[in-house]
Amino acid sequence: METVFSPFEVSNSNIKVGAQNYALSCVGKLETEMEVKRITKSCAGVVKKTKIRGTGHGTGTLSLHIPYALYLKLYGMDGNAKLKQNIAGYGANSVHPTFSYTGLGLDEEGVEVAIAIPQAVVSDGQKWNFENGTEEVQEIELAIEILPDDNEIGMYCVPVSELPTGVTKETWLTNFSTSIVTAPTA
């Protein structure tokens, strides 16, 4: 792999909610920021040593055009037994489900990196923005909270050229699990 990776675009994204995969062909932007824990050692009130350690938690933003059924599912707006068929509503019974996000990132030289966020949840309330007379259809922005998985990791990445044996881009995108990234134990 090249010695420099400069993220440029994201393609071939997938969101999986439960067993249902949603291929996303039009993602405009993926931003993530992982949280850290700061551990300091002081002597006589002066910090002498600092260690920064990841927590596996983080936040992010997905800007994309999204299928209506997935939008309803991510905001817990589908399946309300109190409503007539095909009627969606957002309220006290709208529980946002945990989902996984996978995608392929590219740099300006075309180097592909497989990305996975194994557990996330939409962290803001349902919102729409209708604007008459606009000449551009706006992407929907989803604020997400990134949660650590069983490995206490919130985000994975690997150059596509270095995917583990037996793991294809398609497997990564549609069937990602911690088992495909976890080293076998002795």
Side-chain angles (χ1 to χ4, degrees), residues 16-17 25 30 48 70 74 89 92 118 130 132 168 177:
K16 187 173 186 178
V17 184
S25 60
L30 167 65
K48 297 290 184 178
L70 176 57
L74 290 176
F130 293 96
N132 292 340
T168 64
S177 69

Side-chain angles (χ1 to χ4, degrees), residues 59-169:
T59 57
T61 304
L62 271 169
S63 299
L64 69 167
H65 294 293
I66 188 170
Y68 181 67
L70 176 57
Y71 181 87
L72 295 180
K73 188 167 287 297
L74 290 176
Y75 281 104
M77 296 172 64
D78 63 335
N80 188 329
K82 294 180 181 180
L83 301 177
K84 290 184 177 182
Q85 185 176 358
N86 299 326
I87 304 296
Y90 188 79
N93 294 326
S94 300
V95 178
H96 299 197
T98 301
F99 65 91
S100 66
Y101 170 85
T102 52
L104 299 176
L106 294 171
D107 76 357
E108 76 278 8
E109 300 297 326
V111 175
E112 263 186 321
V113 174
I115 303 163
I117 299 170
Q119 294 191 106
V121 64
V122 173
S123 61
D124 60 358
Q126 186 271 335
K127 58 187 172 193
W128 278 345
N129 180 17
F130 293 96
E131 183 180 344
N132 292 340
T134 186
E135 294 182 11
E136 181 181 348
V137 177
Q138 297 295 311
E139 295 167 334
I140 290 176
E141 265 195 13
L142 299 175
I144 61 172
E145 181 173 342
I146 299 169
L147 308 168
D149 63 8
D150 294 339
N151 292 331
E152 297 186 32
I153 295 174
M155 188 169 178
Y156 295 89
C157 62
V158 62
V160 169
S161 63
E162 298 174 23
L163 281 168
T165 303
V167 177
T168 64
K169 286 195 286 190

